[in-house]
Amino acid sequence: MYYNILDFLITYIHLFSSFLWWGLTFFVIFILGPVNKKGFYSSILPRIHKFVIPISTLSIFSGIVLTFINIDFDLNRLFNSMWGYMLIVGGLFSLPVYLIVIFRSKNRNVKVQLGKKKLPQYNNLLPYLVFLFLSITISLMIFVTQWFFLPS
C-alpha cells in the first residue's frame, strides 16, 4: 500500500516539476527574452533562475527515484530493455541543461540586458539548444511511459 502511494506521489512530483521547468524555460527564451531587449525586465531573470534551480533539481532527483521504483531497484531491468535505454537517453538530454542552470547561478549578480551587448553567435543559439534538449527529454519520457510497458 505504501509502495503505491510513494509511486503515485513521486510520479506527480516528477511530472509537475518537469513541466514547470520546461514552462519556465519556454517563458524566459520565447517570451521574456524578446520583450527584454532594452533590459527593463532584467530584475525578473535572477528571480526566475533562483526558482528554476530547486525545480530542476527536484525534477531530476524525482526522475531517478521514480526509475528505481519502476524497475524494483533491479538495474538489470533498466539496462536490458528498450524501455530502459530510452529512459536513459531521455535523462541524459536533461543533464546538460541542468548543468547550465547550476553553473549560471554563480554569476547572477550582474544585471542581464539582452540586446544591449552583442554576444558571439553561438551564445545566441545556446538558449534554443537548451530548450530543444528539455523538449526532447520530455517527449522521450512521455513516449516511454505511454507506449512502452515496464520491463518484466
Side-chain angles (χ1 to χ4, degrees), residues 85-98 133 136-137 140-141:
Y85 292 136
M86 289 187 73
L87 201 64
I88 291 168
V89 168
L92 288 176
F93 270 103
S94 67
L95 289 180
V97 179
Y98 181 70
F133 278 9
I136 289 171
T137 297
L140 278 174
M141 296 303 171

Side-chain angles (χ1 to χ4, degrees), residues 2-76:
Y2 294 115
Y3 186 75
N4 291 336
I5 294 172
L6 179 66
D7 184 31
F8 177 80
L9 287 175
I10 297 294
T11 298
Y12 283 98
I13 287 171
H14 180 62
L15 184 68
F16 177 74
S17 61
S18 297
F19 284 145
L20 191 57
W21 184 13
W22 183 87
L24 285 171
T25 304
F26 179 86
F27 174 74
V28 167
I29 293 171
F30 294 106
I31 296 173
L32 191 59
V35 172
N36 195 34
K37 294 292 184 196
K38 295 185 180 181
F40 295 132
Y41 303 108
S42 293
S43 61
I44 296 173
L45 291 172
R47 292 176 185 168
I48 291 174
H49 190 76
K50 286 180 182 176
F51 187 66
V52 167
I53 292 172
I55 291 297
S56 58
T57 303
L58 183 64
S59 174
I60 289 185
F61 181 72
S62 63
I64 292 169
V65 170
L66 188 61
T67 299
F68 280 113
I69 289 173
N70 285 329
I71 62 171
D72 292 327
F73 300 95
D74 180 14
L75 289 179
N76 287 329

Side-chain angles (χ1 to χ4, degrees), residues 71-83:
I71 62 171
D72 292 327
F73 300 95
D74 180 14
L75 289 179
N76 287 329
R77 292 177 75 185
L78 182 65
F79 293 114
N80 292 324
S81 67
M82 181 59 83
W83 174 87

